[in-house]
Amino acid sequence: MTTQKQRETVETVVIRFAGDSGDGMQLTGNQFTVSTALSGNDLATFPDYPAEIRAPVGTTFGVSSFQIHFGSHDILTPGDSVDVLVAMNPAALKVNLDTLKVGGLIVADADSFTDRNLSKAGYDSNPLVDGTVAPYQLLELEVSRFTLEAVAELKLSKKDGLRCKNFWTLGLLMWMFDRPRDPVHEWINKKFAKREDLARANTAALNAGHIYGETAELSGVTGYSVAPAEVAPGTYKTITGTEGLAQGLVVGARAAETEVVFASYPITPASPVLHYLADLKEYGVMTFQAEDEIAAACVAIGASFAGKLGITSSSGPGIALKGEAIGLAVSTELPMIIINAQRAGPSTGMPTKAEQADLLQALHGRNGESPIAVLAAATPSDSFEVAIEAVRIATHYMTPVMLMTDSYLVNAAEPWLLPNADDLPSFPAPKATETEGFHPFKRDERGVRPWAVPGTPGLEHRIGGLEKGFDSGNISYDPTNHQQMTDARAAKIEAIADDIPKQTVDSGPQTGKLVVVGWGSTHGSIKTAVARAQEEGLEVSHVHIRYLSPLPRNLEAVLKGFDKVLVSEMNSGQLLSMLRARYLIPAVGHNRVTGQLIRVDDLVNQIRNVLEETK
Amino acid sequence: MTGSTVELKAKDFASDQEVRWCPGCGDYAILKAVQRTLPGLGVPKENFVFVSGIGCSSRFPYYMSTYGFHTIHGRGPAIATGVKVANPELDVWLITGDGDALSIGGNHLIHLLRRNVNLQVLLFNNEIYGLTKGQYSPTSKRGTRSPTSPRGSVEHPLSAGWLAMGAGAHFVARSIDTAKELTTVLTRAHEHKGTSLVEILQNCIVFNDGVFEAVTDRATAADRQIHVEHGKPLVFGKEKNLGLKLKAGSLTVEVVTIGGNGITTDDIMVHNEKDKVLAALLLGMEAPEFPVALGVIYCDPAPTYEQMLYEQVREESPTLDSLLNRGQTWEVV
């Protein structure tokens, strides 16, 4: 064990690793995350990468970043601004410098600040020397040279040698924040099991970066320690929004005593769910890569008709294409789940950036009166819970359920206390077998029709998108019947409100001056902002809505307990207009459409302003 | 309860719904042929599923007393695929038309055939849009006058057979709505494991009456139709004296008269339903220059989609714990 220089204790840190798409920044970030989780810190991460797979090297549009916020208390967001910016090239510095706090630390690979790279990034002069970085601390290191020296004895090509740069940097940062290297060593050995030379090279680079931190006199830079967060005992792992969703769907299907047919067409940012499930056939999951978005939705519907739970996934453009098929599932009253990973729009928009502008599309984006259930996940671990809820509602109410997530949430990660298998829910969804008095649209006391599955003797029947007679299920064009069926479909969705938890106040007083309302992935930002405002002594509460259709029965009463309602969303006011229209309340909006999460300081300002106005 | 073991008759497959196709529509004959075919297939009634898209033909499931799903325009192949992926035991029949399958749903048909999902596709080709009142379809001949082509259509028609071959189909057959052989073709389609495409030339009595007259007219039918049978010479005509022969030095066929110009039966090609090139030649023949090929034109089985899909399921049946514990975990005490 080497002698440690005195470490400074800090409560929370935000680090942003930034480099070229080919520099392995996502990998570096993920390895740092695993080590941080193993150190017992709470954390939230945010991968921020370009849509281009390999944009031209050294350009600003090819910059890929990974941000991690960790600390010794509750961490709810990846952080508004960063304490440490790792810039592997000039473009990475240029794109990310404005995220760095004044006085924050830049770790830059000096070797990559060549004239050519500076010009590719659009710099006329070197920002490391021309005063650009004067407001910050700068740690300018010859990372490329150090890396090549560390791997020299392995006789790799220069190109392969330089590819270890990210591990050198990772080693340095792991020294700086006192993270264990063992999990990274394990990962390297597994990943490069067939290329022993590369495994040794990456290990050497990692260790060299770490040793450099230990031994070099880095002016003004010291090591830090971040105490573990106080968390409940148990087994943990880091979980992304994608993993939460995928595992929740499997657990939910098991609870419903059915199996999953997951049909999807690749689209950013929804595809990772399909990737994850594609290797889970033993768990009762068949995945199907369809020829297009429409087919994906239709395969799911066909599967549900045949008795399994059909699930499809997509993002805005694909959800638009699936609209007609979802309408068919509404009309035929079949269970179906649609994972909606929202991205910034309209049209192709910004596929890798987050937005919540598809709420109204989710609720209303179909022809005719076609109500469905809509739920939204708040965090990576909440994605697990919401996925189970989606399965329960879809199979017990014979309805499509749209599950909202977004570009941020599917990639975001946090530590997750693994549920005990014995505590997992069970809600079997029975299939019809009784032939006596059967008709396919005969409703039970909740207004739900039976799930009668082909292969069941005596229940042969026909369903379709044409309007059905209330009393027989046969085609009907009768005017009063259409009214009755329209009402019945709406009432069935409304009835779900009797079977979901009541709306609670997330934090702050139950009634009072101001409540900030949000839904989906802005949960962490809003919760943090409200907590900060409360620390300032402001009277403000937080309500987070998971169930967007139907809304909880007591939501109106909860909101009417406050003088002011502020709805914070990454759109131009979609939940806001819903709440105003439905409850006739003078709610106001905090709306940002930047492709980025709501900024905590921005929302705190808005909270101050609204409270100021009410004085 | 409809027991699976009860011997069924054609009428047992008729639903209680009144059939609402136009009087004289070719669809009636196809419905009867299907109802005559099903009892002989040895399949429990509750396992039959009829899936359709949108169009006149797609009303078909309502007239069957089996499980049925009248879906949305062009998407029948995808819905049917979902049914088979969920439960490969079900016996799925997809009912579609030239607009449904070859225009709005063209993409799904291609991929259904390519994947080789084990089901039967009955493509009712009447070369017109019936339900929307008579517009030209993707199989309408150039020059077809219709409400949307009052000066004659300027589009080239699509060949369902060629499209299927191009998509990698393993079973392609053709028949006529009123033909006696339709039940035989349907039985063969059912026997085939994989996607079986049966193109049925169907007369639309209201909007395109007589469009297949050159082929179906009783007076000339023998000379305008060739009923192909695996292993038998490709002969036709009232006197069975006409035959198909590969034109010397080319990959085209010609019609020859047996006994004329020294042509003997030995010169006539023998049908081989596994021969992809021959299938393409036969599917491309059009009246009046050639007889139209009917029967099982191509049949060369290959593993089905769902068979390969389910073969990938490993024997183990893991607990949920093993899923939740995937990846790197740590303990907090």
Side-chain angles (χ1 to χ4, degrees), chain B residues 216 294 319:
Chain B
T216 57
L294 301 168
T319 63

Side-chain angles (χ1 to χ4, degrees), chain A residues 395-564:
Chain A
T395 54
H396 282 250
Y397 290 87
M398 298 292 284
T399 177
V401 177
M402 198 172 289
L403 198 171
M404 311 299 283
T405 178
D406 61 46
S407 274
Y408 160 69
L409 193 50
V410 291
N411 293 313
E414 65 177 356
W416 182 48
L417 175 62
L418 297 190
N420 194 326
D422 300 335
D423 299 338
L424 294 173
S426 171
F427 42 78
K431 313 257 165 62
T433 51
E434 179 56 55
T435 56
E436 188 64 38
F438 168 83
H439 88 72
F441 284 83
K442 190 170 183 180
R443 294 170 195 280
D444 66 13
E445 66 287 355
R446 297 164 309 150
V448 181
R449 83 170 187 93
W451 197 358
V453 170
T456 314
L459 298 188
E460 291 87 350
H461 65 278
R462 278 63 58 194
I463 61 172
L466 288 169
E467 184 62 287
K468 290 147 282 280
F470 188 88
D471 295 319
S472 66
N474 291 331
I475 300 172
S476 170
Y477 280 79
D478 181 76
T480 52
N481 177 74
H482 183 50
Q483 181 76 56
Q484 191 179 14
M485 285 296 276
T486 303
D487 295 346
R489 285 185 287 261
K492 183 181 79 169
I493 299 300
E494 265 314 306
I496 298 169
D498 294 328
D499 194 19
I500 58 173
K502 281 193 171 162
Q503 182 64 51
T504 55
V505 177
D506 218 61
S507 74
Q510 300 293 309
T511 58
K513 283 186 187 160
L514 172 65
V515 61
V516 183
V517 181
W519 64 279
S521 72
T522 51
H523 174 263
S525 308
I526 296 173
K527 189 168 182 178
T528 308
V530 167
R532 205 170 288 173
Q534 287 165 350
E535 280 164 24
E536 287 180 19
L538 300 175
E539 190 189 321
V540 55
S541 300
H542 176 202
V543 160
H544 181 82
I545 303 177
R546 172 194 271 184
Y547 299 88
L548 293 150
S549 170
L551 291 164
R553 292 238 192 266
N554 66 328
L555 179 64
E556 179 173 11
V558 169
L559 299 182
K560 286 186 169 168
F562 294 89
D563 299 343
K564 285 262 179 179

